[in-house]
């Protein structure tokens, strides 16, 4: 019976593959062969969102091994080069996530406040797309909005058997809903499929090479493309490098393993401590002059809302998980400093609204209570990248027992986030579709020099990961930016921005060992 349910779920959902809220689109007619997909050319028209942009689309096969079975539509957006006489070609990009919209990223470059992507438009057509499973391209569907709210209200710092059972049930129900509501496509949203889609896009644009700018997860996507199509890589720069040899948080279940206990704060806890220290250095700091005392008070706040959630102005309650998600969001960039302080003060006074709004930003919840596809897509794509041999090898009881032991160790170096992250992020252990590609390094032999860029204090994509990718690639140059936060380009460094623009405009590859300090 379980097998029958799985088959039914895998074949369901076809009509809803090309949908955004309120805008259903029927699944397109598939093409017989991969060569037929490559024969497509984009037909551009003014975008309904903004007539200054051009919109188009291509068909992509769900399964490249069986292209004639089913297809989905990939919408595209283009901003044409403002100096066509000096046009260098098309520049495709991805903002990361996984789950963020590359379509919207390019559309946002029309905003006069955008200081980054619009610089490329002088000599490039900017091309935006959403990877399969994301946004406008057959988004992954999981829980409905009220059920998603309930999922994030789960206490992911369990201290009893009953709470452990609730954690397991929350992950199990989430994973089951993704298969039920997304259907067969769920097994075909892995990064390796998107890389193939990108080559169809390149062909449909009439471009001999793919020029590509990838941020965070977008760097993994670029690496997969370079591995699959090294001779078709143009100028590729990857900012904040996501190491493809790393798997999602499945943790280690070898009963004989030992987990090192570090006395150093874990990276995200350290970022929070640094933000408390930045505040403490000011005479007007609302969190007090002692960062150690402030950290102790913050941990006490999390314990308090865990025991008794506090109100949010939209009727929800802020418990420990939402509070920690809000704090986690602030660790991505130093620009969150003021909101970080204000949210903590508000929560200490009994108002959970500011922290909840930060959490909403992290998980893609709009002010209307509707969730975007970003978080379901994040998990669907992450869970597709791991060793298939490890899929579903443990019982639920074994999983929860192992997580409990791991959480004890992680709580030592991560007293704020440690245990919560262990219990809130192992969704892939409950995933109902096996991984589609093992986590392995990428060499990309035959590709031109790939430029990598990483901040020294990036808590999301650590410098060590970028260094490992640089060592693994056959031909790469790593530029290190001595700065905190996630994403280096267009974040205040003239050195970084000059290198990026020099590479894309003039083909200038920075010298090995280049470091930026401004």
């Amino acid at each position: 019976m379980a097998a029958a349910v799985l088959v039914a779920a895998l074949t369901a959902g076809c009509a809803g593959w090309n949908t955004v809220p309120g805008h259903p689109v029927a699944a397109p007619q598939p093409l017989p062969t991969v060569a037929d997909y490559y024969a497509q050319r984009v037909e551009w028209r003014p975008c309904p969102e903004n007539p200054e942009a051009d919109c188009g689309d291509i068909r992509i096969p769900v399964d490249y091994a069986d292209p004639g079975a089913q297809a989905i539509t990939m919408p595209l957006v283009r901003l044409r080069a403002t100096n066509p006489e000096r046009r260098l070609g098309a520049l495709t990009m991805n903002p990361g996530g996984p789950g963020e919209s590359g379509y919207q990223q390019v559309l946002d470059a029309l905003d006069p406040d955008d200081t980054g992507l619009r610089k490329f438009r002088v000599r490039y057509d900017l091309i935006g797309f959403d990877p399969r499973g994301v946004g406008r391209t057959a988004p992954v569907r999981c829980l409905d909005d009220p059920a998603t709210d309930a999922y994030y209200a789960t206490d992911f710092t369990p201290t009893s058997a009953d709470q452990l059972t609730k954690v397991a049930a929350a992950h199990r129900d989430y994973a089951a809903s993704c298969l039920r509501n997304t259907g067969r496509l769920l097994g075909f949203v892995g990064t390796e499929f998107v890389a193939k889609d990108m080559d169809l896009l390149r062909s449909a644009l009439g471009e001999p090479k793919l020029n590509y700018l990838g941020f965070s997860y977008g760097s993994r996507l670029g690496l997969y493309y370079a591995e699959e199509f090294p001779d078709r890589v143009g100028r590729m720069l990857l900012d904040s490098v996501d190491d493809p040899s790393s798997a999602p948080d499945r943790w280690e279940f070898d009963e004989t393993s030992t987990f090192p206990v570090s006395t150093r704060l874990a990276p995200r806890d350290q970022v929070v401590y640094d933000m408390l220290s930045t505040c403490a250095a000011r005479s007007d700091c609302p969190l007090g002059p002692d960062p150690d005392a402030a950290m102790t008070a913050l941990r006490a706040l999390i314990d308090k809302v865990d025991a008794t959630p506090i109100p949010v102005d939209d009727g929800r309650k802020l418990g420990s998980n939402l509070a920690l998600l809000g704090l986690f969001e602030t660790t991505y960039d130093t620009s969150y400093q003021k909101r970080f302080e204000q949210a903590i003060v508000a929560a200490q006074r009994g108002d959970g609204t500011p922290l909840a709004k930060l959490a909403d930003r992290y998980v893609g919840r709009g002010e209307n209570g509707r969730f975007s596809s970003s978080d379901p897509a994040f998990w669907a794509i992450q869970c597709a990248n791991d060793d298939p041999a490890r899929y579903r090898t443990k019982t639920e009881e074994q999983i929860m027992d192992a997580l409990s032991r791991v959480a004890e160790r992680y709580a030592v170096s991560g007293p704020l986030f440690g245990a919560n992250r262990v219990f809130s992020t192992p969704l892939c252990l409950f995933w109902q579709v096996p991984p589609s590609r093992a986590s392995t390094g990428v060499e990309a032999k035959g590709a031109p020099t790939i430029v990598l860029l990483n901040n020294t204090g990036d808590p999301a994509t650590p410098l060590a990961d970028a260094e490992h990718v640089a060592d693994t690639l056959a031909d790469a140059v790593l530029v290190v930016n001595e700065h905190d936060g996630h994403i280096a380009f267009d974040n205040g460094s003239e050195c970084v921005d000059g290198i990026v623009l020099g590479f894309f405009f003039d083909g200038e590859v920075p010298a090995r060992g280049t470091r930026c300090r401004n």
Side-chain angles (χ1 to χ4, degrees):
M1 183 173 68
V5 171
L6 178 62
V7 170
L10 285 171
T11 56
C14 299
W17 278 355
N18 288 287
T19 62
V20 292
H23 298 279
V25 179
Q29 181 69 30
L31 299 172
T33 69
V34 172
D36 292 314
Y37 286 94
Y38 267 100
Q40 298 176 94
R41 291 295 179 265
V42 184
E43 296 182 5
W44 297 107
R45 57 193 179 276
C47 285
E49 299 98 329
N50 190 320
E52 188 178 342
D54 299 322
C55 281
D57 57 66
I58 59 172
R59 280 179 282 182
I60 55 178
V62 171
D63 181 1
Y64 278 84
D66 188 11
Q70 292 156 327
I72 55 179
T73 299
M74 176 187 284
L76 309 171
V77 62
R78 177 182 69 174
L79 301 183
R80 282 172 286 184
T82 55
N83 190 343
E85 291 78 14
R86 301 188 67 203
R87 179 184 178 275
L88 292 169
L91 177 60
T92 305
M93 54 200 67
N94 181 275
E100 297 306 312
S101 171
Y103 185 106
Q104 192 63 45
Q105 179 190 29
V106 167
L107 206 57
D108 287 346
L110 289 171
D111 189 330
D113 292 333
D114 178 271
T115 59
L117 297 186
R118 65 189 300 120
K119 295 175 182 176
F120 298 106
R121 196 181 168 196
V122 176
R123 303 192 65 187
Y124 285 96
D125 294 343
L126 304 187
I127 306 295
F129 73 98
D130 291 346
R132 54 173 65 202
V134 176
R136 294 166 174 82
T137 305
V140 171
R141 301 292 189 190
C142 296
L143 299 168
D144 62 21
D145 295 323
T148 305
D149 274 333
Y151 175 77
Y152 288 117
T154 303
D155 181 358
F156 286 117
T157 52
T159 56
S160 67
D162 180 61
Q163 289 176 335
L164 279 171
T165 299
K166 290 180 179 178
V167 167
H171 289 315
R172 187 193 323 118
D173 293 347
Y174 191 112
S177 74
C178 297
L179 180 58
R180 181 174 64 250
N181 295 321
T182 303
R184 182 172 182 262
L185 180 65
L186 197 64
F188 294 92
V189 296
T191 307
E192 70 274 22
F193 299 109
V194 184
K196 293 178 184 294
D197 299 340
M198 287 167 58
D199 201 55
L200 287 184
L201 170 58
R202 176 203 57 77
S203 175
L205 293 172
E207 296 288 329
K209 303 282 186 179
L210 182 83
N211 300 306
Y212 181 76
L213 174 60
F215 300 92
S216 194
Y217 164 77
S219 67
R220 182 183 295 227
L221 186 49
L223 291 168
Y224 274 38
Y225 182 87
E227 180 84 340
E228 180 81 10
F229 307 103
D231 59 325
R232 300 173 194 174
V233 174
R235 294 174 182 173
M236 179 176 288
L237 186 143
L238 309 176
D239 182 344
S240 305
V241 183
D242 180 22
D243 187 352
S245 67
S246 63
D249 291 335
R250 293 177 187 267
W251 312 103
E252 176 60 64
F253 294 103
D254 183 349
E255 299 294 335
T256 65
S257 292
T258 58
F259 301 92
V261 177
S262 173
T263 57
R264 292 185 58 188
L265 280 178
R268 298 285 185 166
D269 282 62
Q270 184 64 56
V271 172
V272 168
Y273 184 83
D274 291 345
M275 295 175 80
L276 294 173
S277 299
T278 297
C279 180
R282 304 195 321 265
S283 61
D284 63 344
C285 175
L287 304 176
D290 182 352
D292 291 304
M295 186 64 128
T296 299
L298 182 56
R299 292 174 59 190
L301 172 65
I302 299 302
D303 290 342
K304 180 179 178 180
V305 300
D306 184 59
T308 307
I310 57 178
V312 177
D313 63 7
D314 59 9
R316 288 179 294 163
K317 294 285 188 179
L318 182 93
S320 59
N321 188 55
L322 268 189
L324 288 169
L325 283 174
L327 292 172
F328 199 80
E329 169 69 11
T330 67
T331 64
Y332 277 91
D333 198 284
T334 54
S335 64
Y336 277 115
Q337 181 72 39
K338 186 175 181 180
R339 291 184 67 184
F340 167 81
E341 297 172 12
Q342 292 173 337
I344 293 172
V345 170
Q348 289 172 334
R349 293 174 178 170
D351 178 10
T353 303
L355 270 178
K357 287 185 175 180
L358 285 166
D360 290 347
R361 180 177 176 82
Y362 184 74
V363 299
R365 186 185 193 271
E367 293 185 0
N368 60 358
R370 299 293 302 272
F371 284 85
S372 73
S373 69
S374 62
D375 216 46
F378 173 90
W379 289 113
I381 296 167
Q382 286 286 79
C383 296
N385 186 63
D386 198 7
D387 179 4
R390 296 178 59 194
Y391 174 67
R392 304 292 284 268
T393 58
K394 300 292 182 180
T395 67
E396 193 170 288
E397 183 179 1
Q398 288 173 317
I399 290 171
M400 298 312 296
D401 178 65
L403 291 178
S404 297
R405 290 183 287 106
V406 175
E408 291 179 5
R409 275 75 172 179
Y410 275 71
V412 176
S413 60
L416 190 61
F417 295 117
N420 173 269
R421 296 301 291 178
V422 170
F423 283 112
S424 66
T425 62
L427 188 58
C428 295
L429 291 169
F430 297 83
W431 209 243
Q432 299 196 8
V433 175
S436 53
R437 172 171 170 144
S439 305
T440 56
V442 167
E443 294 185 48
K445 291 180 179 179
T449 304
I450 297 172
V451 177
L452 308 177
L453 179 59
N454 221 91
N455 287 337
T456 53
D458 189 331
T461 52
L463 178 58
D465 288 359
E467 292 170 335
H468 181 253
V469 170
D471 290 340
T472 305
L473 283 169
D475 189 357
V477 170
L478 172 62
V479 175
V480 176
N481 184 38
E482 295 184 2
H483 195 272
D484 292 335
H486 191 48
I487 307 300
F489 175 67
D490 194 36
N491 264 326
S493 171
E494 294 180 6
C495 173
V496 166
D497 294 356
I499 287 172
V500 173
L501 294 175
F503 174 68
F504 278 110
F505 286 166
D506 302 314
E508 297 174 352
V509 177
R512 298 185 188 280
T514 297
R515 297 182 77 91
C516 288
R517 297 179 173 85
N518 71 315

